[in-house]
């Protein structure tokens, strides 16, 4: 099982793709951000919100294999 | 356009269709808000916009705004449709319709909805200016992110 | 419907036509207010309404409201159409559209317009209830006049 | 020359017509109201606004032959 990470807006352009799959069993949002920053130039991750399975989550929220994590930069709809 | 009260669409928005969704015989007031693509922002010219959304979550957050409004203004009925993809000047990006027995609630709930959309709904706007492009970083339009690698196309 | 920004009409109101009148490339926000015929008012059932206007003065007063708004919210453009004659439940009696570069002014000017319409525009509403008829005496709907001699038809 | 008086809403129904023409040269709005109350059951005239030539007028405003006077009961548009 994988954790799926969805990227949008400038994050997507920075990484060059719209999703990343990681073979991890469980970790926190904060640990996930740290892991991603080691692989990708995603310093902004410190400043974006996170959604787990389409609900906003905190840095200490747990992420488990099978979950979909989305990083939500400041929104600009409307 | 479907009968869902909260939608993310890729086609042009028909304002009459949104109004129809909230019409009720007991409602004497309907307010709408239509957000269109503005050509000029603080002296900068927009050529077109691109909107991207995390679609399933965006629909969920629009519905959540609807629930919040149902608690604050119990007699109202609200419908919200946001368009994504490429939008040219004057095209409708978002339409909000609120019906209510009396007008005060219809104005208040409508304004509340657009404020909340700009806070919690995962939709992002990329401005294509006459002199470049920028993902807009917040709803106040004063925290632009630097443009990423160009030509990496949105997939969502 | 014509291109006049301020109108009294006898035909059904087309909301899109009013929006079209105020659309501008520099406007990013359009608010509309649609006043429809409500079936229930404080437990009383309306069967239909009749609106009467002193037409030339009503048009003049709508234009005056437009001028007031132009002074208070200089970047806005407003169009107002009020219908007269017989209106059934859910039909549109009045439509107000305001465009503006930013949304706050569009909401404020719109709400100001409907408040002023209810103060200074010579238009009168006769409620045909399930149990009788009444000319409504003010915009708060709490000063009904006693019904005059029936069957004397409005001429205006 | 006449002064034309326009009646609306319940005033129109009370009088049974929508206009009255009076062969008067000049008088004030207040004098006109008093004159009308002698002929018609229009006690409410004390409580309605008056427009002369489509502009709101005061009780002491002058009305001259050729003018159009409208009595404006509390409005209920919208």
């Amino acid at each position: 099982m994988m954790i799926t990470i969805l990227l949008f807006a400038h994050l997507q352009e920075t990484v060059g793709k719209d999703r990343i799959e990681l073979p991890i069993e469980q970790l926190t949002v904060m640990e996930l951000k740290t892991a991603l920053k080691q692989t990708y130039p995603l310093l902004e991750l410190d400043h974006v919100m996170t959604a787990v399975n389409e609900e906003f989550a905190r840095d200490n929220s747990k992420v488990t294999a099978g979950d979909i994590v989305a990083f939500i930069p400041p929104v600009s709809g409307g | 356009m479907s009968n869902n009260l909260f939608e993310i669409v890729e086609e042009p928005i028909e304002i009459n269709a949104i109004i129809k969704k909230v019409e009720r015989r007991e409602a004497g007031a309907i307010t709408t808000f239509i957000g269109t693509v503005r050509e000029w922002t603080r002296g900068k010219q927009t050529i077109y916009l691109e909107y991207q959304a995390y679609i399933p979550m965006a629909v969920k957050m629009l519905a959540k705004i609807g629930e919040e409004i149902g608690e604050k203004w119990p007699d109202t009925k609200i419908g919200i449709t946001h368009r994504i993809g490429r939008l040219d000047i004057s095209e409708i990006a978002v339409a909000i319709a609120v019906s209510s027995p009396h007008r005060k609630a219809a104005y208040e709930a409508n304004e509340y909805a657009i404020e909340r959309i700009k806070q919690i709904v995962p939709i992002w706007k990329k401005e294509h200016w006459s002199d470049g492009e920028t993902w807009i970083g917040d709803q106040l339009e004063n925290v632009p992110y630097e443009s990423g690698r160009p030509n990496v196309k949105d997939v969502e």
Side-chain angles (χ1 to χ4, degrees), chain B residues 5 28 53 85 117 131 137:
Chain B
L5 290 171
I117 287 170
D131 61 354

Side-chain angles (χ1 to χ4, degrees), chain A residues 6 8-10 12-16 18 51 53-56 68 70 72-78, chain B residues 51-52 54 56-57 60 82 118 120-121 123-126 135-139 145 148-149 154-155:
Chain A
L6 303 180
F8 298 96
H10 64 286
Q12 185 178 105
E13 295 188 352
T14 301
V15 170
D18 68 329
N53 301 328
E54 301 169 12
E55 296 287 352
F56 286 109
I68 296 174
I72 313 284
V75 304
S76 50
Chain B
Y51 280 97
Q52 190 185 58
Y54 178 16
M57 183 172 171
K60 220 164 164 174
H82 202 300
K118 288 168 182 285
I120 66 165
V121 181
I123 299 178
W124 301 273
K125 171 166 78 172
K126 189 177 196 174
W135 281 104
I136 299 300
D138 75 6
Q139 65 276 21
Y145 288 91
R149 291 167 206 149
D154 309 338
V155 181

